[in-house]
Structure formats: C-alpha cells, structure tokens
Amino acid sequence: MSLVINKNFNNDKNVWNIELKGEIDIYTANELKKVLIEVVSINPQDIILNASELEYIDSTGLGVLIGVLKRLRQQGKDIHIIEAKKNVKKLFNITGLDKIFKVEG
Amino acid sequence: MSLVINKNFNNDKNVWNIELKGEIDIYTANELKKVLIEVVSINPQDIILNASELEYIDSTGLGVLIGVLKRLRQQGKDIHIIEAKKNVKKLFNITGLDKIFKVEG
Amino acid sequence: MPVINNEEIGDKIIESIDMTVPSKPEYVGVIRLTVSAIANRMGFNIDEIEDIKVAVAEGCTNAIKHGLDDKFYINFEIGSDSLSIVIKDNGKGCNVEEIDEPDLLNLKEGGLGLFIIKTLMDEVEFVSKKGKGCQIKMIKFLGDDI
Amino acid sequence: MPVINNEEIGDKIIESIDMTVPSKPEYVGVIRLTVSAIANRMGFNIDEIEDIKVAVAEGCTNAIKHGLDDKFYINFEIGSDSLSIVIKDNGKGCNVEEIDEPDLLNLKEGGLGLFIIKTLMDEVEFVSKKGKGCQIKMIKFLGDDI
Ligand SMILES: Nc1ncnc2c1ncn2[C@@H]1O[C@H](COP(=O)(O)OP(=O)(O)O)[C@@H](O)[C@H]1O
Ligand SMILES: Nc1ncnc2c1ncn2[C@@H]1O[C@H](COP(=O)(O)OP(=O)(O)O)[C@@H](O)[C@H]1O
C-alpha cells in the first residue's frame, strides 16, 4: 500500500528512466504527479516508466499519466511504459490507453 | 486462508511425519482434528509436526493439538513440533505450551 | 434516491458483510485487501480477484473524491454464485445524464473510473442525484470467465 | 450491558471503521487481512501486526463459537498512537466471573483465547452478561514494543 519512485536521467539516450514500485491509487497518485511534473519541468524529454515492480494502478494513476503525457506531447515527447505486469497492462488495454502510451515488453 | 495436511508413517523410526501448510484457525481446525484423530486411532505413535510452512495458528488449533496430545500421552507417546516460524512459536511460548509439547528447531 | 432491491439478483443471498469507512484515500488499500480476501474465499481466480479489486477501489475512490462526505458505506453480498458489492455515500451526488464516456481523441485526466468498473464487472448499476449522494452496485459471477 | 465509552482512551480518536460480519468461521480470515492492512497502514511493525491479527481473530472466534448469534460487529478506532478494536455480539453472553485462567497442570482443549488476547494486546476489557451478548475491547499502542 505504498509507492516508491526512482528517477534518473540518462544523458546518453536523453531520456528519463523512472522506476515504479508498489501501488498507484488515490493515496499515492499525488506523489507520482509531483515527481513527473518536476521531471518534465526540469527537462522535457521522453520518459521511460519501468513498471516491472508496479503491482497496481487505477484510474487515478492513469489520469496522472495522461496529464503528464499531454504536457510532453506539446514538446513532441512521449511516455513509454515497459515491463508492465499483466494486471497493469490490462488497465491500459481496456481503457484504450495502450493506443496512446507506448506500452512495451 | 486454507490448510494442507500431508501425513506419512515412517516405519524405520516408528513415527508419524505430518506436514502442515497454511493456516490453522476456527475454519480449518476441524480438518486438522480429523486427520490427527485418525492417525492416532490407526497407530498411536509419536507425531512429528513439520510446521515450516505453517503461517498461522490460534487457540482453536492449539486446542486440537492439546486434545490429541492427551490421547497420545495415555500411551506414553508425544507430539514434536519442528521448524515452526517465529509467530507460531510465539503462541506456544506465551501459552506455556512449549513446556508441554516438544517444540524443536 | 431509489435503493436497489436485493431481490433483483437471481441467486439466493447467503451472507452479507457491511462496512462503514472514513472518506480518506488511505483506506482504499484496506478495502482492496478485504474484498480480495472475500473473493478469494469464494473461489474466484486470480484474474477475477484482480478485476473485482480494481472495480471496488474505483467505486471507493469516487465516493471519496466526489462524494465529499466524511464517510461511505460498502456492502458485500456473498451469494452461492456471485459477489455483489454496493458502495454508497450520502455526499454531493451528481447528475448521471451529464457523465460522458471516455473519448480517446480528446483525452482527459478524469472520467475513466465508471468505464473501468463497467468493463471489469458483469453487472453495474449507478444511481445518483445531485445533493442526494450516490450508490453504485456491481456484480461479478463465479465461474463466468474461462 | 455497559458500553465502553470511547472517551476512556487517552489519545484523540481520529478515524473509525465499522464492520458487520456473518458469524461464520470462513470470515475470520477476511477480518485478519482487513486488520493487518489497517495496522500496516498505521505503521505497526510486522511482529505487532501479527499480534494484533491473532488477538482480533481470537475475539472473532469467540463471537462465532460462543455468541451463537447470526452476526457480530467490529469497530476499529484508528488513533494517532493507538489502534483500538471492539468486537461485539448480541448472542448468548457468559458470566465473566466463571471464566478460569488456563492451567498448564490441568490442560483443557479450550480456554486459551482470552488469555492470548490479554498477552498480545496492551489493554483489554471484556464485558459480558448471560443472555446479553459480549463485548471485548483491545488496544495496541504504536511504538510501544522495542
Ligand atoms: N460517489 C460519487 N459522488 C458524486 N459524483 C460521482 C460519484 N461517482 C461518480 N461521480 C460522477 O461521475 C463522474 C465520472 O466518474 P468516473 O468515471 O469515476 O471519473 P472521475 O472520477 O475520474 O471523474 C465524476 O466526475 C462525478 O461527476
Ligand atoms: N463472545 C462470547 N460470547 C459468550 N461467551 C464468551 C464469548 N467470548 C468468550 N466467552 C466465554 O469465555 C470463555 C473463555 O474464552 P476463551 O478464553 O476464548 O476460551 P475458549 O473460547 O476456548 O473457551 C468461553 O469458554 C466462553 O464461556
């Protein structure tokens, strides 16, 4: 019932690598929002979200990602979601957001 | 929230080896009682309870073990509890039952 | 606001668990664990449990986010072949006709919750009236998915 | 039967969760998970969560086994430095004076539940009257164990 967020900027590839561990819900979504908005403000580049240890996401979390994606798109940048678990992928699939975000691997 | 019980009789050592996996509470204690009473009726010998995968026990489970121990003691036999997890051991300790059962390892 | 009648469910209601919960984000996780345990005990498989967990959390999140009362209610009805969950608040309510379906061509940060619930559960009924609170009932049938 | 007054607790009551549960053995596991989630959220450590889990399960087991009503009630009061749990049934009740402490020299198959609760929790209050149900209140303080 908590969320750990690790971020680091990859200078070679010019992308943000962000690792999500735990659960994104109404309790933790604000934390995610804060980190992503900060990251995008510092340096608006592609974000690669590693979701291999993300156990849970719901509409609140998806809403945060949509908000950040909208900002990034204005700069021609994207959000990639990699290594998502089956249940997390399912949320992207049923909402059609797998067509908006780059959900990979 | 369930209990799996594996039993087998060791002819060399003349003991019952019984493995407990899961949780013993008011929901599963009857199952344990049935198996142990059966075992003791077939062949009243020492029982070695392997508790390495027993995640939980409460007073209902302890009560079942006490009932079976009383029967076995009439025949000079014992119940050994081996490899119990910390939380299971704690229940034997605080009730003083570690002085009645052979709680080992 | 019309209260949904239990008799509408096909199978006999066997058991019912009621909860009153503070309208605080930190308790949605507690309810997720509670409903997972109930669904697990009933014999739902892992994927179904996950669906139920998400749908219930969405319902609770809405009660907290939009209901804005200090508490809300959940009722779990454990039938022989279904789990029916009612989430109810006596908060702000809303005008059901004004709720839009999500639109991928015009993404918004909100508006996915009810859609997710409807997708994951077998039956969903949403009742609300401005100023009169909100009630959502969702049912998942056992052994429906293959 | 005297109802325990909330004001008796030292710290301010912040939040309260109420549950009504069928008096069936299969639901004790559900409550164990619920209370674990609450205690975890509050910041109790693993050993403390385990203690609380066992104590609450013993209380529910007694309500089911001895109360013999068709349902029972649980209230969780989440204070800033304590978790207080009341388990209540309107069932058979008992004569508190007649309850013996466990005796290792004369082992019985029952009689350990209340003793375990008192050992694991910081404060315990047991109130009952024959024919008038039973209420047990147990408190665990945060950051008490080292
Ligand atoms: N419990 C509730 N109380 C009041 N309004 C609600 C409630 N649940 C849903 N609604 C209304 O329905 C709308 C759609 O809800 P939903 O699909 O979950 O998306 P979101 O919560 O992101 O807005 C909400 O914006 C709100 O107006
Ligand atoms: N909810 C209850 N309703 C009626 N009697 C109760 C209740 N809880 C406890 N008791 C009484 O207290 C006694 C001691 O309880 P306990 O220590 O848990 O041991 P056990 O349940 O094994 O008998 C019980 O035997 C019963 O007579």
Side-chain angles (χ1 to χ4, degrees):
Chain A
M1 293 191 294
S2 63
L3 177 65
V4 177
I5 307 171
N6 293 320
K7 59 175 195 284
N8 98 298
F9 189 72
N10 184 323
N11 280 306
D12 294 346
K13 301 192 174 157
N14 224 24
V15 297
W16 284 102
N17 283 313
I18 298 182
E19 254 176 45
L20 303 174
K21 291 184 196 183
E23 306 188 328
I24 307 179
D25 69 357
I26 184 179
Y27 185 57
T28 58
N30 271 336
E31 226 171 300
L32 178 67
K33 189 170 187 172
K34 222 187 63 195
V35 171
L36 292 184
I37 296 284
E38 188 196 317
V39 150
V40 168
S41 314
I42 298 175
N43 192 357
Q45 299 294 342
D46 276 11
I47 291 178
I48 299 180
L49 286 178
N50 187 317
S52 66
E53 293 182 64
L54 181 65
E55 310 296 337
Y56 179 86
I57 193 166
D58 66 12
S59 68
T60 327
L62 296 175
V64 169
L65 296 182
I66 290 170
V68 175
L69 183 66
K70 280 181 158 183
R71 287 182 172 226
L72 277 180
R73 281 280 169 85
Q74 292 168 1
Q75 330 253 342
K77 302 298 175 190
D78 252 316
I79 296 181
H80 302 250
I81 289 141
I82 64 168
E83 294 183 39
K85 285 182 197 288
K86 192 176 154 201
N87 61 319
V88 170
K89 253 187 207 152
K90 182 167 184 175
L91 267 282
F92 282 90
N93 294 342
I94 64 173
T95 53
L97 291 174
D98 54 347
K99 295 180 195 71
I100 311 292
F101 291 91
K102 310 238 173 283
V103 183
E104 298 150 19
Chain B
M1 292 190 296
S2 63
L3 178 65
V4 177
I5 307 170
N6 293 321
K7 58 174 196 281
N8 101 297
F9 189 72
N10 184 322
N11 279 307
D12 293 347
K13 300 192 175 160
N14 225 22
V15 298
W16 284 102
N17 282 312
I18 298 183
E19 254 176 45
L20 303 174
K21 291 184 197 184
E23 306 189 328
I24 308 178
D25 69 358
I26 183 178
Y27 185 56
T28 57
N30 271 337
E31 226 171 300
L32 177 68
K33 189 169 184 170
K34 223 187 63 194
V35 171
L36 292 184
I37 296 283
E38 188 195 318
V39 149
V40 169
S41 314
I42 298 175
N43 193 356
Q45 299 293 342
D46 275 11
I47 292 178
I48 299 180
L49 287 179
N50 186 317
S52 65
E53 293 183 61
L54 182 66
E55 309 296 337
Y56 180 87
I57 192 166
D58 67 12
S59 69
T60 328
L62 296 175
V64 168
L65 295 182
I66 291 170
V68 175
L69 183 67
K70 279 182 161 183
R71 285 183 174 227
L72 277 180
R73 282 282 170 85
Q74 291 168 3
Q75 328 253 341
K77 302 297 174 191
D78 252 314
I79 296 182
H80 301 249
I81 291 143
I82 63 167
E83 293 183 40
K85 284 183 198 289
K86 193 177 151 199
N87 62 321
V88 170
K89 250 184 210 159
K90 182 169 184 174
L91 267 281
F92 283 91
N93 294 343
I94 64 173
T95 53
L97 291 174
D98 55 348
K99 295 181 193 74
I100 311 290
F101 291 91
K102 310 237 172 285
V103 183
E104 298 150 21
Chain C
M1 186 178 55
V3 170
I4 298 167
N5 190 335
N6 288 333
E7 304 305 311
E8 284 173 24
I9 318 175
D11 65 331
K12 206 171 118 250
I13 290 155
I14 303 189
E15 278 144 17
S16 174
I17 297 181
D18 282 302
M19 282 181 92
T20 307
V21 186
S23 296
K24 299 257 176 122
E26 53 262 50
Y27 294 112
V28 177
V30 171
I31 292 159
R32 277 206 300 275
L33 266 180
T34 303
V35 71
S36 298
I38 294 171
N40 178 49
R41 161 65 60 236
M42 288 179 69
F44 283 103
N45 67 36
I46 295 178
D47 291 344
E48 291 165 335
I49 294 172
E50 196 62 34
D51 291 351
I52 295 168
K53 209 168 83 173
V54 174
V56 168
E58 295 289 354
C60 296
T61 297
N62 277 346
I64 295 167
K65 217 167 54 176
H66 303 298
L68 299 176
D69 201 358
D70 58 350
K71 59 186 177 210
F72 65 99
Y73 310 89
I74 315 180
N75 169 253
F76 304 95
E77 266 168 13
I78 297 126
S80 52
D81 62 358
S82 71
L83 173 59
S84 161
I85 300 131
V86 175
I87 298 161
K88 192 177 171 322
D89 66 75
N90 295 321
K92 298 245 169 276
C94 66
N95 190 337
V96 181
E97 278 76 45
E98 286 172 11
I99 302 174
D100 297 326
E101 292 272 299
D103 173 8
L104 284 181
L105 297 176
N106 180 18
L107 278 184
K108 287 185 295 189
E109 291 173 41
L112 291 172
L114 288 176
F115 177 82
I116 290 173
I117 297 173
K118 284 180 200 152
T119 309
L120 297 179
M121 299 298 271
D122 293 322
E123 283 182 21
V124 178
E125 220 166 356
F126 180 79
V127 189
S128 188
K129 219 172 163 180
K130 261 206 173 102
K132 293 272 166 82
C134 185
Q135 175 171 311
I136 186 162
K137 174 171 182 163
M138 45 188 95
I139 307 181
K140 189 90 171 172
F141 293 103
L142 252 172
D144 232 28
D145 298 17
I146 306 293
Chain D
M1 187 175 56
V3 171
I4 298 169
N5 190 337
N6 289 334
E7 305 305 312
E8 284 174 24
I9 317 177
D11 64 331
K12 206 173 118 249
I13 291 154
I14 304 189
E15 280 143 15
S16 174
I17 297 181
D18 281 302
M19 285 181 90
T20 307
V21 186
S23 296
K24 298 257 177 122
E26 52 263 50
Y27 294 111
V28 177
V30 171
I31 293 160
R32 276 206 299 274
L33 267 180
T34 303
V35 72
S36 299
I38 295 171
N40 180 49
R41 162 65 60 237
M42 290 179 67
F44 283 103
N45 67 36
I46 296 179
D47 290 344
E48 291 165 334
I49 294 173
E50 195 62 34
D51 290 351
I52 294 169
K53 208 167 84 175
V54 174
V56 168
E58 295 289 354
C60 296
T61 298
N62 277 346
I64 296 168
K65 216 166 56 174
H66 303 298
L68 299 175
D69 201 357
D70 58 350
K71 60 186 178 215
F72 64 98
Y73 310 89
I74 314 182
N75 169 253
F76 303 96
E77 266 167 14
I78 297 127
S80 52
D81 63 358
S82 70
L83 173 59
S84 161
I85 301 132
V86 175
I87 299 162
K88 192 178 169 324
D89 66 75
N90 295 321
K92 298 247 168 272
C94 67
N95 189 337
V96 180
E97 277 76 46
E98 286 172 11
I99 302 174
D100 297 326
E101 291 272 299
D103 174 7
L104 284 180
L105 296 177
N106 180 19
L107 280 182
K108 286 186 295 190
E109 290 172 41
L112 291 172
L114 289 176
F115 177 80
I116 290 173
I117 296 172
K118 284 180 200 155
T119 308
L120 297 179
M121 299 299 270
D122 293 322
E123 282 182 21
V124 178
E125 220 166 357
F126 180 80
V127 188
S128 187
K129 218 170 161 181
K130 261 205 173 106
K132 293 270 166 84
C134 186
Q135 175 172 310
I136 186 162
K137 174 171 185 164
M138 46 187 94
I139 306 180
K140 189 89 171 173
F141 294 103
L142 252 171
D144 231 29
D145 295 20
I146 307 293

